[in-house]
Amino acid sequence: RFVRSLVKDSKRKVPQRERPPSAAVHYFWGSKSLHAAFTNLYSLYSGFIGLPHLKAVARLLGYQGIAIILEELIKIVRNLVNGPLRGHVKSLFNLMPKVCKLPRFDYGSPAVLEYYIAHLTNVGRYAELKKDVCQVLRELGNIIVFCLQLELALAQEEVMDLLTAAPFTNIIPRPPAKKIEEQELKMKQLEQKYARIQISAVVEQVGDEKQKAIAREAELLTKERLCCGLNIFEMFILKLKEILSVDTIWTGGFPSN
């Protein structure tokens, strides 16, 4: 989950927001005791941004809203990679030693560590390493983790929707049985039992053409979900790979032979 950093960045301006309007206790939860109880309950979800909040985002925005968020995140990643990160990496390349051979293992770990520290002294003295390079890498990593958490939240919400809608879309789990014939017989009995709540099938029998089309579309939208096969995070990683593969500073270029 994401927690606000204690380190303040002087370059970033804190947005000025209006204070939320205040109201009497009975306008919130009905009484002072209920207000205190719900305040303690919701305090567990304050001070961080995690899976509970992303589930609410997934329910509120839907596929179109999440697609817009991912598009904006890809733009931010492209600006970070092609902007400050590329410049700092290029500067670090110039500070790297021309020769840095692998020392013998007989020297021991402390000696090997001192060897690399001595050769990478200029890199460690790079002024922008901690306050800018690490900040850019942190933002890039947070975006990647945010996309992964958003996909997990969306998948959990969709699985819950599918399980809730299962009795109404003719998705019946197979009952336990010792023989296949016995299981098939139980399945037929369950299908007959739940046939009255199969909304699409009932509308096909008693509804008009418009109602039938709406029922078919609703059933299709209920069954076809991203959690059934598509992967948001994989798409985002592939986009990031495309951004990195364009510039030879990240790929290293091709060998001369």
Side-chain angles (χ1 to χ4, degrees):
R1 61 185 187 175
F2 299 92
V3 183
R4 184 184 294 274
S5 175
L6 299 177
V7 180
K8 295 183 179 180
D9 190 359
S10 58
K11 296 181 181 180
R12 292 184 177 273
K13 295 182 180 180
V14 179
Q16 299 294 330
R17 298 186 178 92
E18 297 181 359
R19 296 186 62 182
S22 58
V25 176
H26 56 271
Y27 286 114
F28 287 101
W29 303 108
S31 65
K32 189 174 182 180
S33 58
L34 285 175
H35 179 69
F38 279 104
T39 301
N40 292 331
L41 181 64
Y42 286 117
S43 64
L44 300 175
Y45 299 98
S46 63
F48 75 100
I49 297 177
L51 203 58
H53 308 91
L54 296 180
K55 286 183 179 180
V57 170
R59 287 196 302 267
L60 179 64
L61 297 181
Y63 288 159
Q64 293 182 349
I66 292 175
I68 294 174
I69 290 178
L70 293 177
E71 184 179 357
E72 294 299 323
L73 289 177
I74 290 173
K75 292 179 182 178
I76 295 174
V77 168
R78 183 179 287 107
N79 293 333
L80 288 175
V81 171
N82 296 331
L85 189 59
R86 186 183 186 280
H88 291 309
V89 170
K90 198 170 183 180
S91 300
L92 290 174
F93 279 174
N94 297 328
L95 296 176
M96 293 293 289
K98 302 300 180 182
V99 178
C100 188
K101 297 181 179 180
L102 183 66
R104 293 175 57 87
F105 70 93
D106 298 338
Y107 298 154
S109 299
V112 172
L113 178 61
E114 292 296 331
Y115 172 82
Y116 284 117
I117 290 176
H119 279 74
L120 300 175
T121 303
N122 294 331
V123 177
R125 292 176 180 175
Y126 184 59
E128 303 294 333
L129 182 61
K130 292 183 179 180
K131 65 180 182 180
D132 200 5
V133 178
C134 294
Q135 172 68 16
V136 173
L137 293 176
R138 185 180 67 86
E139 293 180 7
L140 187 61
N142 285 343
I143 291 174
I144 295 174
V145 175
F146 177 82
C147 291
L148 178 60
Q149 293 291 326
L150 184 60
E151 185 190 20
L152 292 176
L154 180 61
Q156 291 184 13
E157 288 298 314
E158 289 182 343
V159 169
M160 182 62 67
D161 292 342
L162 290 175
L163 292 177
T164 305
F168 306 97
T169 54
N170 199 22
I171 300 176
I172 303 173
R174 290 188 171 274
K178 295 181 179 180
K179 297 181 180 180
I180 299 178
E181 294 80 6
E182 184 181 355
Q183 189 180 52
E184 293 295 333
L185 180 61
K186 289 184 178 180
M187 280 296 298
K188 290 181 180 179
Q189 293 176 354
L190 290 175
E191 289 176 357
Q192 293 176 359
K193 179 180 179 181
Y194 294 109
R196 298 178 181 179
I197 61 174
Q198 306 302 325
I199 298 177
S200 180
V202 173
V203 174
E204 288 287 342
Q205 295 176 1
V206 300
D208 54 18
E209 293 299 327
K210 185 177 181 180
Q211 292 174 343
K212 292 178 182 179
I214 294 175
R216 285 193 293 267
E217 291 179 0
E219 186 177 12
L220 180 64
L221 291 175
T222 302
K223 291 182 177 180
E224 298 295 331
R225 298 299 182 98
L226 284 176
C227 65
C228 296
L230 299 178
N231 195 322
I232 296 176
F233 184 68
E234 182 179 358
M235 180 275 298
F236 184 82
I237 294 298
L238 290 176
K239 288 287 185 181
L240 179 59
K241 182 180 178 180
E242 291 178 4
I243 295 172
L244 294 175
S245 60
V246 172
D247 199 339
T248 56
I249 194 173
W250 310 113
T251 59
F254 296 98
S256 57
N257 57 352

